[in-house]
Amino acid sequence: MEAENTISEKLIQLPQKRFYRQRAHSNPLAHHTFDYPACPAENYWDSVYPDRRNRKVRILDIGCGYGGLLIQLAKHFPNDLLCGLEIRVKVSDYVKDRIKALQHNAKVEKASDSEDFSNLGCIRTNAMKHLPNFFEKGQLTTIFFLFPDPHFKEKKHKWRIVSDTLLSEYAYLLQPEGRIYTNTDVEDLHLWMVDCLTNHPLFERIPDEDLKDDTCFKTMFEATEEGKKVTRNEGSKWPAVFRRLPNPE
Amino acid sequence: MAPGLVVLKDGNVVVWSGSKVVKIDLNTKAISTSKDFEGLVNDVIELNEKFLVSHDKTVSIVKKLSLEFIASFDVPRRPSKLCMVERKCYIADKSGDVYLVEIPDAEKLSIVTDPKTMKPVLGHISLIMDTFVSDKFIYTAEQDEKIKVSSRKHPFIIDHYLLGHTEFVSKIVVDENNSSLFSCGGDGTVRSWKNGKAEKVKEHDEETVCHSLVLSNDRLQYATVSFEENKESFIRTVFKRDLADYHTWKLASGSVPIASTAKANGDGVYWLIENEKSLQLFLTKDKEQELVLDNIAESSWKEDHWKVLRKAMEKSDNYDAYLKLREEGFKKARGSRKNKRKIMEPVADDAKKVAAT
């Protein structure tokens, strides 16, 4: 019996990225093998968050990559669930393994309820197609689009994660006064996203100056792997934050 | 997309197949066929004394009586369905977008659109298989199992989704007076929805696709087509209140039901049936069926359309292979790096020799 206790109290090594490398681009219009519920259901979330404690997913990181942002934000939102969506198989597996290791290590080190990473989860899915399967109308407070794939060619613009038609879906999932945070090192993409969001009747820009004390705004610059890469290469970043307006009558 | 048919206000029927539109006078059983349109005809709708015909990436407006060309306008992608409300034409296309084009009420029509700059009123990331537009809402059913209901006044506001189908949704029928909607799809189910919530589900065998749903009085009629070889197709009538069976017709081997439309006065349903040779027009009324007209047009479907659609939906990634690799603990990954180092060493020695000389 003593031997068993020692095994479960050992810290797990965090997964190593080199075994989970995958190329950056994935075709969002193809028919991949995904698991998703037919419609939003409470009991589905218990499988993603083993220690859910009746919390709901409020913060979404669409294209969460290797999970950097989620891990930095977890302690700031202990009463909400944070969810990362990632279409790439290996990368989503990395994030799931990383979250599991962090949760285990937090338990071993007897971390407090607000710092136990129990509010983190990652789902492998195509956010452009399947968001309504997971989330209810007005469920979310925040959506992040950090360093999305620019899809430079004009015929590939339909693959971009922010577009006129998709914004209506994101607006459906966000509660009024909910927010969309975007950041990218590609100025062309930044202008495109700002253009789409500004022209959409349900979104209004929040000037950067008004966000100086906003946790999400401060965290999104350095928390992600992509963000760190851009800083290393001394590139520029263009953030833009928008609020979701109430529906017109 | 496929051959189809529509009933006109005067009770006659229009069929389209391949690149042609065929008018059928049911009294005289006379058929008048149009000239070829450019590309395959996807949909035809009636607008007073004109028809709107969508083919390839164009919508043509032709005279009803003579099928003479009046005007046409281009759209960015192949339309899958047209819907007319007042003078507004909603065009749903195969890439998932819905466009709105207003058709002016004039003798000499000229509509100019710029496919490169047209903006959709709403969109999906998936093929739109059926659309219906009412005064209040725009209903769109897509290949990725969802039915989206958007406000008609503000199409950027999604009112709700109807979720439940596990395969593509092929047809929806809206009964707004009763806050109801009926749908059927590739998962072999017919579903009823009320007030935005799922109500009843009628299931069929695996490998069955349900399509061509029609509401006639208080009954729904649809076709079931199977992916299995040599399995017959059925046309079935059910009660709309509980989806209980009313009557079923088994089709002769080799016959495939393609499309249906309710008769103008609500009493009976016209069916377009394809057999090996051509298209036939059947009328089902209560529990009776009659062959109205044979050899209407050549069928352009040499292969089973539903098999083609099903094949296109097969998942194409290497997920299973990756799962296996993961179970083996990525051992392969480590192994291959070691081998690379061995291959590299001799080359390094040669390079030194070359540098020295």
Side-chain angles (χ1 to χ4, degrees):
Chain A
M1 285 307 282
E2 240 172 41
E4 274 182 39
N5 283 339
T6 357
I7 292 166
S8 64
E9 278 173 15
K10 248 201 206 164
L11 293 174
I12 298 181
Q13 189 199 21
L14 293 179
Q16 294 173 284
K17 272 188 217 150
R18 63 185 171 156
F19 298 123
Y20 298 82
R21 287 291 177 208
Q22 186 168 353
R23 69 186 281 272
H25 307 283
S26 187
N27 179 356
L29 268 54
H31 295 285
H32 302 259
T33 316
F34 292 124
D35 274 320
Y36 49 87
C39 58
E42 281 281 309
N43 49 19
Y44 168 79
W45 294 109
D46 292 330
S47 61
V48 182
Y49 300 90
D51 195 11
R52 192 163 68 90
R53 292 180 227 144
N54 278 325
R55 292 171 290 184
K56 284 192 118 165
V57 175
R58 301 288 179 203
I59 298 169
L60 204 57
D61 185 0
I62 296 185
C64 66
Y66 291 90
L69 177 79
L70 292 171
I71 291 165
Q72 289 295 318
L73 281 180
K75 58 179 175 289
H76 295 290
F77 299 96
N79 297 320
D80 294 331
L81 295 178
L82 294 87
C83 188
L85 302 185
E86 176 55 55
I87 195 173
R88 293 172 287 174
V89 173
K90 286 190 190 172
V91 180
S92 60
D93 272 349
Y94 172 84
V95 180
K96 287 180 201 169
D97 288 347
R98 194 174 177 189
I99 292 174
K100 259 198 219 130
L102 287 169
Q103 288 171 341
H104 174 95
N105 293 350
K107 250 199 212 118
V108 165
E109 290 168 345
K110 300 206 171 57
S112 69
D113 266 2
S114 58
E115 302 219 0
D116 62 357
F117 298 107
S118 63
N119 57 349
L120 289 189
C122 177
I123 300 175
R124 181 190 167 238
T125 189
N126 182 340
M128 288 164 75
K129 289 191 185 188
H130 300 303
L131 287 179
N133 292 92
F134 293 98
F135 306 108
E136 291 162 358
K137 188 173 183 175
Q139 178 174 339
L140 307 173
T141 58
T142 320
I143 300 180
F144 287 93
F145 297 103
L146 302 190
F147 304 94
D149 194 330
H151 293 299
F152 292 108
K153 295 184 186 166
E154 207 178 305
K155 64 172 180 175
K156 291 269 160 79
H157 283 180
K158 178 126 185 155
W159 291 21
R160 286 181 167 172
I161 194 82
V162 172
S163 69
D164 299 323
T165 50
L166 275 171
L167 282 175
S168 302
E169 270 199 25
Y170 304 141
Y172 167 84
L173 298 166
L174 279 169
Q175 40 184 258
E177 294 311 311
R179 289 182 182 177
I180 285 187
Y181 289 79
T182 71
N183 201 356
T184 178
D185 57 331
V186 179
E187 190 178 13
D188 189 51
L189 180 67
H190 165 75
L191 295 171
W192 161 282
M193 291 197 288
V194 168
D195 201 47
C196 288
L197 279 155
T198 310
N199 290 331
H200 197 282
L202 295 177
F203 289 101
E204 182 186 67
R205 186 147 187 198
I206 303 176
D208 290 359
E209 306 87 66
D210 296 355
L211 296 158
K212 290 225 162 69
D213 295 320
D214 184 61
T215 316
C216 291
F217 189 75
K218 288 190 286 188
T219 314
M220 78 171 179
F221 276 91
E222 284 309 322
T224 63
E225 271 69 17
E226 282 293 323
K228 288 175 193 153
K229 206 197 288 181
V230 174
T231 310
R232 273 201 305 275
N233 299 335
E234 290 170 37
S236 321
K237 293 178 201 173
W238 284 276
V241 183
F242 285 77
R243 71 156 56 88
R244 199 272 200 219
L245 300 167
N247 286 346
E249 282 316 302
Chain B
M1 219 155 54
L5 75 173
V6 70
V7 170
L8 305 177
K9 288 197 185 97
D10 62 6
N12 288 319
V13 172
V14 163
V15 170
W16 60 91
S17 172
S19 308
K20 294 189 164 62
V21 172
V22 179
K23 261 195 331 173
I24 301 173
D25 185 328
L26 289 169
N27 295 322
T28 63
K29 302 279 164 79
I31 299 177
S32 68
T33 309
S34 74
K35 283 186 297 184
D36 271 358
F37 283 89
E38 241 177 68
L40 297 176
V41 175
N42 293 312
D43 202 3
V44 175
I45 52 176
E46 187 183 11
L47 175 60
N48 301 330
E49 2 56 67
K50 308 186 193 71
F51 285 135
L52 270 79
V53 180
S54 71
H55 55 99
D56 211 29
K57 293 185 187 174
T58 314
V59 177
S60 289
I61 304 173
V62 298
K63 284 198 184 140
K64 212 189 241 181
L65 286 173
S66 56
L67 295 176
E68 200 189 303
F69 176 88
I70 302 174
S72 75
F73 58 89
D74 291 326
V75 288
R77 293 191 183 85
R78 281 190 180 77
S80 55
K81 194 96 206 292
L82 300 174
C83 258
M84 202 77 201
V85 183
E86 291 144 29
R87 298 214 70 89
K88 299 195 166 73
C89 183
Y90 288 87
I91 302 153
D93 70 25
K94 295 197 176 181
S95 72
D97 294 327
V98 177
Y99 295 90
L100 172 54
V101 174
E102 190 127 3
I103 314 285
D105 191 7
E107 254 319 303
K108 294 217 165 150
L109 270 184
S110 161
I111 303 170
V112 181
T113 58
D114 184 6
K116 295 217 171 117
T117 56
M118 279 172 89
K119 291 232 158 171
V121 297
L122 66 92
H124 292 243
I125 304 292
S126 187
L127 208 160
I128 296 184
M129 302 208 64
D130 199 11
T131 316
F132 180 78
V133 183
S134 72
D135 288 331
K136 279 202 314 188
F137 293 118
I138 303 175
Y139 300 83
T140 40
E142 61 168 34
Q143 191 184 39
D144 279 304
E145 307 120 27
K146 295 190 280 295
I147 299 169
K148 178 152 74 173
V149 184
S150 314
S151 149
R152 173 144 169 247
K153 185 175 173 204
H154 298 298
F156 51 82
I157 298 178
I158 299 172
D159 193 78
H160 61 275
Y161 284 90
L162 297 173
L163 303 172
H165 277 284
T166 56
E167 282 282 352
F168 61 86
V169 183
S170 54
K171 193 93 177 31
I172 54 174
V173 169
V174 178
D175 187 9
E176 248 184 14
N177 296 332
N178 295 312
S179 309
S180 293
L181 188 146
F182 303 95
S183 64
C184 67
D187 56 358
T189 62
V190 175
R191 295 174 191 250
S192 65
W193 313 81
K194 191 151 177 129
N195 294 320
K197 294 204 164 52
E199 221 185 14
K200 296 221 178 288
V201 180
K202 186 174 185 67
E203 293 182 44
H204 299 82
D205 277 343
E206 268 181 39
E207 300 292 311
T208 302
V209 163
C210 294
H211 68 94
S212 304
L213 193 61
V214 157
L215 184 62
S216 178
N217 296 328
D218 65 337
R219 293 176 217 145
L220 290 163
Q221 206 174 85
Y222 59 94
T224 61
V225 171
S226 176
F227 289 128
E228 282 177 55
E229 294 288 341
N230 304 321
K231 201 160 175 207
E232 288 107 357
S233 305
F234 292 85
I235 292 176
R236 178 165 287 138
T237 311
V238 296
F239 289 104
K240 80 172 189 185
R241 61 168 184 273
D242 57 2
L243 305 184
D245 280 2
Y246 176 72
H247 190 74
T248 305
W249 291 271
K250 188 159 73 164
L251 274 85
S253 166
S255 294
V256 180
I258 305 283
S260 64
T261 183
K263 203 152 173 260
N265 61 6
D267 184 24
V269 176
Y270 285 109
W271 277 90
L272 205 58
I273 312 274
E274 177 198 53
N275 61 28
E276 279 128 73
K277 287 176 268 173
S278 68
L279 293 172
Q280 303 173 310
L281 184 67
F282 274 81
L283 174 64
T284 61
K285 210 168 164 178
D286 207 47
K287 298 189 181 179
E288 304 298 321
Q289 50 125 315
E290 71 169 278
L291 171 61
V292 175
L293 208 53
D294 205 347
N295 291 318
I296 300 167
E298 240 183 59
S299 176
S300 59
W301 280 12
K302 297 294 180 249
E303 286 172 36
D304 186 351
H305 169 77
W306 301 108
K307 279 209 192 103
V308 171
L309 183 62
R310 173 71 158 241
K311 220 180 170 187
M313 292 193 56
E314 266 165 22
K315 314 299 178 190
S316 56
D317 58 13
N318 303 325
Y319 196 49
D320 296 328
Y322 164 71
L323 281 179
K324 225 179 160 194
L325 242 184
R326 183 181 154 79
E327 267 168 40
E328 292 160 14
F330 299 112
K331 285 184 202 138
K332 252 186 180 174
R334 275 180 222 152
S336 64
R337 275 196 359 270
K338 277 190 198 157
N339 289 334
K340 271 189 189 158
R341 245 177 254 142
K342 280 189 191 153
I343 298 164
M344 289 295 280
E345 282 169 51
V347 175
D349 281 345
D350 285 341
K352 279 185 198 161
K353 281 184 198 159
V354 171
T357 46

